[in-house]
Amino acid sequence: MTQHVSPPRGGTGKAAPADEPPAWRGLAARADVRTLSLLGVLAVLVLIGGVTQPDAFLDTRNLQLVLTQASVIGVVTVGMTFVIVSGGIDLSVGAIVALASVWATTVATQDFGFGGILFTAVLVGVGCGLVNGVLVAYGGMVPFIATLAMLASARGLALQITDGRTQVVTVDSVLDLGEREAYLFGVPPLVLVFAAVTVIGWLVLNRTTFGRRTVAVGGNAEAARLAGIDVRRQRLYLYLLSGLCCGVAAFLLIVLAGSGQNTNGNLYELDAIAAAIIGGTLLTGGRGTITGSVLGVLIFTTITNIFALNNLQTDVQQIAKGAIIVAAVLVQRRTASTT
């Protein structure tokens, strides 16, 4: 006697193939491929550096220097990744870093010691982020225009504060963080801060409601609004987050350079955007990865270090970076067209 099996309710009567993987597995697989590809590129660069300058490149001090230099722009890139995932852009991050660094190193600020410098740098960064967020979220300005205006204003104010002079830091507790005696098991404190920001950024983007809302706003702002997400408030928070990262990066730069200058953070916005793009973050929003962005930062920093050790000119280095960015965008377009 045969038994009749009814099709599932609401279905078409056709059973789904048992070996068909869920959609999320395909996305995870593509993310893994991107990550492995970036790790492969980084490994090739390390190999090139080891072959061309084995004694200099593979020296422990040089590797520590690469990671330390990556820490400053890396913190900025984490904040930039959130903004781009939401469908926005922040062209003012370099200027904010400059303004925060010079405001935090004035004579009046240094009188308050370590805490005063750190607090001022973060406060200036968050304040600039607040202005950007209000203009974009509640002022209805295009992010490109609003942050471009902040770029010009922050650079001008930084120049006005310093009058073109370098402001030397005299607070020993700040300068000591850059000394080798402050390293923890051979790891510079700046790298530890960068690692902490990376982990927190990854957790926020991938494991919190805030992260899911950010992706939703970047994917389709109107659909996110209809789903009950306050899109304007979310965008405000994202620019505040970007400003916070700029403030932290400014403090790290103060420790690294031992001074504040109005030229600090030059072209940081381009480096951060480029690192996020080659890491797999879509400029149109809706998709991004902190891991990929960090690997992008390490790739660019390693390229810079290899070029410097081999006494190659800066213009060749910029051409190489441009070629990498173009290749990454083309790969993104090809990937998007096949999904």
Side-chain angles (χ1 to χ4, degrees):
M1 180 177 179
T2 59
Q3 185 177 9
H4 176 71
V5 180
S6 301
R9 294 183 180 179
T12 61
K14 296 181 180 180
D19 58 348
E20 181 178 345
W24 64 268
R25 289 187 180 177
L27 294 174
R30 287 195 293 274
D32 289 340
V33 170
R34 284 195 301 271
T35 301
L36 290 175
S37 299
L38 292 171
L39 287 172
V41 171
L42 186 59
V44 170
L45 290 174
V46 172
L47 180 62
I48 293 174
V51 171
T52 57
Q53 294 289 336
D55 295 332
F57 181 79
L58 297 178
D59 183 73
T60 302
R61 290 177 179 268
N62 183 64
L63 296 178
Q64 290 172 335
L65 175 63
V66 171
L67 292 175
T68 301
Q69 292 176 337
S71 298
V72 180
I73 184 62
V75 172
V76 174
T77 302
V78 170
M80 180 69 80
T81 300
F82 276 89
V83 173
I84 297 178
V85 168
S86 72
I89 199 74
D90 191 349
L91 299 180
S92 64
V93 290
I96 294 175
V97 169
L99 178 59
S101 69
V102 300
W103 208 322
T105 55
T106 60
V107 175
T109 304
Q110 292 192 51
D111 287 341
F112 292 94
F114 183 100
I117 293 176
L118 175 59
F119 177 78
T120 302
V122 172
L123 183 63
V124 171
V126 172
C128 291
L130 175 63
V131 174
N132 282 336
V134 170
L135 291 176
V136 172
Y138 295 96
M141 292 186 67
V142 177
F144 181 91
I145 300 300
T147 58
L148 185 62
M150 176 58 72
L151 183 156
S153 301
R155 282 289 178 194
L157 185 55
L159 178 59
Q160 187 178 50
I161 291 175
T162 61
D163 197 22
R165 300 188 181 93
T166 299
Q167 298 179 164
V168 179
V169 176
T170 58
V171 179
D172 292 336
S173 56
V174 174
L175 298 175
D176 289 344
L177 288 178
E179 300 296 330
R180 298 190 63 81
E181 290 75 12
Y183 289 12
L184 183 63
F185 301 108
V187 181
L190 275 66
V191 178
L192 295 176
V193 174
F194 176 34
V197 171
T198 299
V199 172
I200 294 172
W202 186 91
L203 290 173
V204 171
L205 185 60
N206 296 280
R207 294 291 185 268
T208 67
T209 302
F210 182 87
R212 289 190 290 271
R213 287 175 177 172
T214 300
V215 175
V217 170
N220 190 321
E222 181 60 20
R225 186 187 66 81
L226 294 175
I229 298 176
D230 191 331
V231 175
R232 294 191 298 178
R233 185 172 60 185
Q234 185 70 17
R235 285 175 173 160
L236 174 63
Y237 289 162
L238 289 166
Y239 281 98
L240 283 172
L241 176 61
S242 179
L244 173 63
C245 289
C246 289
V248 173
F251 180 77
L252 297 183
L253 190 57
I254 291 170
V255 173
L256 182 62
S259 63
Q261 304 177 52
N262 65 285
T263 55
N264 282 343
N266 187 34
L267 297 181
Y268 271 20
E269 56 277 355
L270 299 184
D271 288 342
I273 293 171
I277 290 174
I278 71 170
T281 300
L282 291 179
L283 272 176
T284 53
R287 191 185 76 191
T289 162
I290 298 296
T291 303
S293 296
V294 169
L295 288 175
V297 170
L298 293 176
I299 287 173
F300 278 139
T301 308
T302 304
I303 290 175
T304 302
N305 184 258
I306 292 174
F307 274 64
L309 291 177
N310 287 278
N311 296 318
L312 297 176
Q313 296 182 358
T314 305
D315 54 354
V316 180
Q317 174 185 327
Q318 297 302 327
I319 293 173
K321 285 185 177 182
I324 292 175
I325 295 171
V326 171
V329 173
L330 291 176
V331 170
Q332 280 190 3
R333 289 174 61 88
R334 183 175 179 83
T335 303
S337 64
T338 57
T339 56

